[in-house]
Structure formats: C-alpha cells, structure tokens
Amino acid sequence: MANVIKLRKGLDINLQGKAEAKRIQLKSNGRYALVPDDFEGVTPKVVVKEGDKVKAGDALFVNKQYPEVKFASPVSGTVREVARGERRKVLCVSVEADARQEYVDFGKKDVTKMDGQGVIDALLEAGIFGYINQLPYAVSTNPSQKPKAVFVSALRDMPLAADFEFEVKGQEQDFQTGLTALSKIAKTYLGCGVHSSFENYRDVEVTVFDGPCPAGNVGVQVNHLDPVNKGEVVWTVEPTAVLFIGRLLNTGEVDLRRTVALCGSEVKAPAYVDMLVGEELSTLLSNSYDAEHHVRIINGNVLTGKVTTKEGFLGAHSSEITVIPEGDDADEFLGWILPRFKQFSVNRSYFSWLCGKKKYALDARVKGGERHIIMSGEYDKVLPMDIYGEYLIKAIITGDIDRQEALGIYEVSPEDFALAEFVDSSKLELQRIVREGLNILRKENA
C-alpha cells in the first residue's frame, strides 16, 4: 500500500469552466513555434536558419551553457522565422509543418536493459532532456549534475487544472516506460491524489497526498519526502514529460503531443484536445469564446500561467489554456459595500461563504494596490511546507542571501507561492520575487 501524507494547509478555489472529460478534434493550421522562455534557465543558441527543412526530432536550438542539451522540433517542415526581441533575444523559432510528417528515427530501446547514463544519452540525442527541471532554482537541469532523487507529481490540483488520469488513458505503457527510465537515473518518487489509479506503477515509490491545493506541487512533495539541502540536486519531471520519454523509448520517435484542457468561465464548451507543444493557439481558440467580451487568455492555469493571445503558441509545460474575464470593463455600483454573493473571499469579507461549494467566475483584477508587507500569517495558511514564507519573501526583497539560504529558498519554486500571492493582502507579485531571488542565488553559486 502506498504511503499517505495528509496536508491541512492550502486552499481549493472552485472556479467555473472546468473541462469536461471528453476530447474534441481540431485541425491544425500548420504553424508551430518553440519558445526558449518556456525552459527556465536556458540561454538559447539557434542551430537552424530560416528556410531550413527539419524533421520532428531535429534540434531547433541548444542551451548555450550546455550545448549537448538540444530542443527538438515538434513537427517536420520548413523553418519559417527565428523571431528576436531586444538585444537580439530569441523569442521563438517557428516552423511551417509539412502535410506529411517525417520523424527522425532514434531507434526503439529496451528500457530494462539500459543504465542511467544510457537513458540520459538517449534523451539528449532526441532533444527532450530539457523538459526535466531541477531543485534548487526551479530551472531546466543539466546532465552533468546527477540528482539524489527524481520526483514526478501526477496530481494536478490548481484551479481548473487538467486531469492527468484522463490524459494517460490508453498510454499507460508509455508512462510506465518513462517511469522505469527515470528510476535508472535515481530513486524516483511518484506523487498522486486520493482514489487515483497510480498506485500500481512499478519501479517508483508511490506517495498519496491527501489535502487541498497545492498538494500537487512537486516542490511541496519534495519538501515532505526528501528536502533539498545546499549542494544537493533533485530532478522534477511533469507527468506529460514522462510520456514524452516513454514514447521515445518505445517508438524511437519524438512525439510531443499533450492533452490540453480548454477551460475557464468564458469558454463556451470546456473540453480536452490533443495538441503538440508549440502549436499556434488560434487553432484552439477560434470560436471558443465570445469575441466581444474583454477576456484574458492564459497559457497555463490561472495561478501560474502566462498571459498570451490567439497568436501565441502552446507552452512546453502548459496543460491548460484558460480564458477568464479581464475585468477592465466591470462597473460595480457601491463596490465593496454590497454583499457580493458572486465574489470569492478567503477571509469571509463577502457573504458568498454562506453559499457552500459555489463555483465562481473570477476576473483578472487585482482589486487593490501594492502596499507594505503585513505580517499576518496569510502565507502560512496556504503554504504546506516547513518554511517561513513571509520571512523568506522579506529576505529576498532585501537581498539577504545568507538568510534566504537559512529560510529554505533551495526547496521552493515560484509556483509554490502562487496561492500565497492570491491571498496576499499586500498585493505583491510573490512568484516574480521568488524567481528573481532564485536567479540571483544561481548566479552567486555558479
């Protein structure tokens, strides 16, 4: 029987627009792009030119710091553009897909006969090693630093999050192959929720996390199972990336297909759709919501995703495309004086708490301005980790590196503070603050 860890701290935000457990079919417009910013910590060096022909699995760019870490094209076709921004920063490498897809053949492999280095070499050759992240710093990892453990969280519990159990149906063998491959590198932990079907997978230590969001955050699971100390490294792999690994070893081809939830209160018919990493979102969003409404399109979930447009591309780690009201056209007569039965409040400021498990259609407004930090213990109520969240944020803001290390910054990632940012009375951008702190520490320790 799997180990069970019960968590009490956290917050489940019940939003309208959850994707129904059904798949819809879409016809791609043939435009794809790989975005280097989707891979935190990677400095890209483009290895193709506009007009080049590529196959699915050919490298589009590499990590300048670790050139052996390549990033594979999701499709075969013609390189349409290498888009650059200020100071020639690479924004994306776009590919116009061929009508008939061709794949680089990396050869099928028997994972049971491979060792850890063999698995790493196979992932590097195929250009999908970059989908593996690490703690500390919450960045794309490098192959030369071996981890003490590998963590996979199959529990997605952010608001409107896609259900991985729905995604993995019919792909159980690929998922098992991916887990076995990771277990060759280091001891592998698989985190899941209550009543899940993941307890029967082999070669991993399965742990059930019973509690509210963010129990599914891999950082929370690392904190409870094998905390990271200074000088140690653990690898974190999202469950869809495990499928990428399994498909590669079972078929010899790079298949970056992922099941994405189209969700949010503005979506007419929330459902799931199979898309390739980097696929243009106009394919998905055309006629999916009322174009006359002021909406915010989010590449990812509502707490940690990035604002995008119809012309954007599916993120490398995005399992949801969320559409919610922008809120810039809202006109509330008397404002906060009203009972506000349709608004959500953590501290029961509104009478909506009397409505039980009501679903809310929240918009993107912050509803307040940035102000001084209030030491109220708000973060601790939604942060189920053995750290002092408010003190850590203050240490990052003041640049006190020694204090950051003492307060456990090596164990956290920005997404661990997503709920704290939501409930924060000070309206601080906590995820941005944590990311800046991690980047500074990474440079200090380089």
Side-chain angles (χ1 to χ4, degrees):
M1 183 176 176
N3 181 34
V4 178
I5 295 179
K6 292 188 177 183
L7 304 178
R8 299 186 183 278
K9 294 181 179 180
L11 176 67
D12 288 325
I13 306 171
N14 203 11
L15 299 183
Q16 293 179 14
K18 181 80 172 176
E20 293 185 35
K22 64 178 182 180
R23 280 184 169 88
I24 56 176
Q25 301 297 321
L26 295 177
K27 185 177 181 181
S28 172
N29 61 14
R31 292 193 289 271
Y32 298 80
L34 213 57
V35 180
D37 279 353
D38 289 342
F39 304 95
E40 195 65 53
V42 170
T43 302
K45 178 182 178 181
V46 180
V47 294
V48 293
K49 302 187 298 293
E50 294 179 8
D52 284 356
K53 297 288 290 184
V54 295
K55 294 181 180 180
D58 281 332
L60 297 180
F61 57 86
V62 301
N63 187 349
K64 189 177 291 186
Q65 189 174 3
Y66 306 103
E68 66 272 26
V69 180
K70 301 179 288 186
F71 295 85
S73 172
V75 294
S76 66
T78 304
V79 177
R80 185 178 62 171
E81 180 187 15
V82 178
R84 295 182 182 271
E86 295 182 5
R87 303 180 67 178
R88 293 187 55 79
K89 176 184 176 180
V90 180
L91 302 179
C92 69
V93 181
S94 60
V95 178
E96 192 77 35
D98 293 333
R100 182 175 175 275
Q101 289 294 293
E102 296 183 67
Y103 297 83
V104 178
D105 185 6
F106 295 102
K108 298 180 182 180
K109 295 178 175 63
D110 184 352
V111 69
T112 61
K113 298 180 180 178
M114 301 176 72
D115 59 13
Q117 189 58 49
V119 171
I120 293 173
D121 291 343
L123 302 184
L124 288 170
E125 182 186 16
I128 62 174
F129 183 86
Y131 289 84
I132 300 176
N133 289 341
Q134 71 165 55
L135 288 176
Y137 313 127
V139 294
S140 183
T141 192
N142 75 79
S144 61
Q145 196 166 21
K146 298 301 185 291
K148 68 169 183 175
V150 179
F151 285 81
V152 179
S153 175
L155 171 59
R156 293 175 178 155
D157 59 359
M158 289 288 185
L160 303 178
D163 183 0
F164 182 68
E165 290 210 47
F166 180 80
E167 179 177 1
V168 80
K169 286 181 180 177
Q171 305 181 79
E172 290 84 359
Q173 184 56 50
D174 289 334
F175 192 61
Q176 179 61 73
T177 299
L179 291 175
T180 301
L182 292 172
S183 72
K184 301 285 185 175
I185 300 171
K187 182 177 181 179
T188 301
Y189 296 89
L190 175 63
C192 62
V194 180
H195 308 306
S196 73
S197 60
F198 294 105
E199 294 187 27
N200 297 323
Y201 283 96
R202 308 181 307 276
D203 304 320
V204 294
E205 182 175 307
V206 180
T207 305
V208 175
F209 286 84
D210 182 6
C213 176
N217 281 17
V218 71
V220 172
Q221 298 181 9
V222 171
N223 182 264
H224 283 82
L225 294 173
D226 195 359
V228 181
N229 299 308
K230 186 175 182 179
E232 297 178 337
V233 170
V234 300
W235 288 1
T236 63
V237 190
E238 61 160 346
T240 303
V242 179
L243 287 175
F244 295 166
I245 296 169
R247 292 172 194 155
L248 171 68
L249 299 178
N250 288 337
T251 67
E253 298 174 349
V254 171
D255 182 355
L256 300 181
R257 171 175 39 90
R258 62 187 309 147
T259 300
V260 178
L262 175 61
C263 55
S265 58
E266 289 294 305
V267 176
K268 297 176 183 177
Y272 289 87
V273 62
D274 287 339
M275 299 179 71
L276 288 174
V277 168
E279 187 167 343
E280 190 173 73
L281 297 179
S282 60
T283 301
L284 177 65
L285 295 174
S286 179
N287 301 318
S288 64
Y289 62 90
D290 191 337
E292 295 182 358
H293 290 181
H294 293 205
V295 301
R296 176 169 294 190
I297 303 171
I298 303 171
N299 204 332
N301 69 69
V302 289
L303 292 183
T304 64
K306 299 178 180 178
V307 177
T308 187
T309 65
K310 279 187 176 181
E311 291 71 38
F313 302 93
L314 179 66
H317 299 286
S318 296
S319 297
E320 306 87 22
I321 299 297
T322 313
V323 187
I324 62 173
E326 184 65 54
D328 56 354
D329 57 345
D331 184 12
E332 295 182 348
F333 179 65
L334 297 180
W336 58 268
I337 299 177
L338 295 176
R340 309 186 90 172
F341 287 100
K342 295 183 179 180
Q343 295 291 326
F344 177 78
S345 174
V346 176
N347 53 22
R348 297 188 175 184
S349 297
Y350 310 146
F351 284 94
S352 55
W353 67 272
L354 297 170
C355 300
K357 294 185 177 180
K358 177 183 174 66
K359 291 186 177 181
Y360 298 90
L362 303 187
D363 56 41
R365 288 177 294 165
V366 177
K367 297 183 178 178
E370 186 173 307
R371 61 204 76 166
H372 296 296
I373 291 181
I374 303 169
M375 300 298 287
S376 61
E378 290 175 310
Y379 303 174
D380 292 337
K381 294 176 182 178
V382 296
L383 191 62
M385 303 173 73
D386 189 20
I387 61 173
Y388 294 104
E390 290 173 336
Y391 291 96
L392 176 56
I393 291 296
K394 291 179 70 174
I396 295 173
I397 292 173
T398 57
D400 189 338
I401 291 178
D402 291 339
R403 191 158 178 79
Q404 290 173 42
E405 292 180 341
L407 289 169
I409 192 170
Y410 292 116
E411 298 182 43
V412 304
S413 61
E415 69 171 10
D416 295 327
F417 282 81
L419 272 175
E421 183 175 302
F422 177 79
V423 305
D424 184 20
S425 300
S426 302
K427 309 297 181 182
L428 299 179
E429 297 180 7
L430 300 184
Q431 294 181 79
R432 176 186 58 80
I433 292 171
V434 172
R435 170 46 59 199
E436 291 175 355
L438 290 171
N439 288 345
I440 291 171
L441 268 175
R442 186 163 167 253
K443 290 179 181 178
E444 286 285 330
N445 296 326

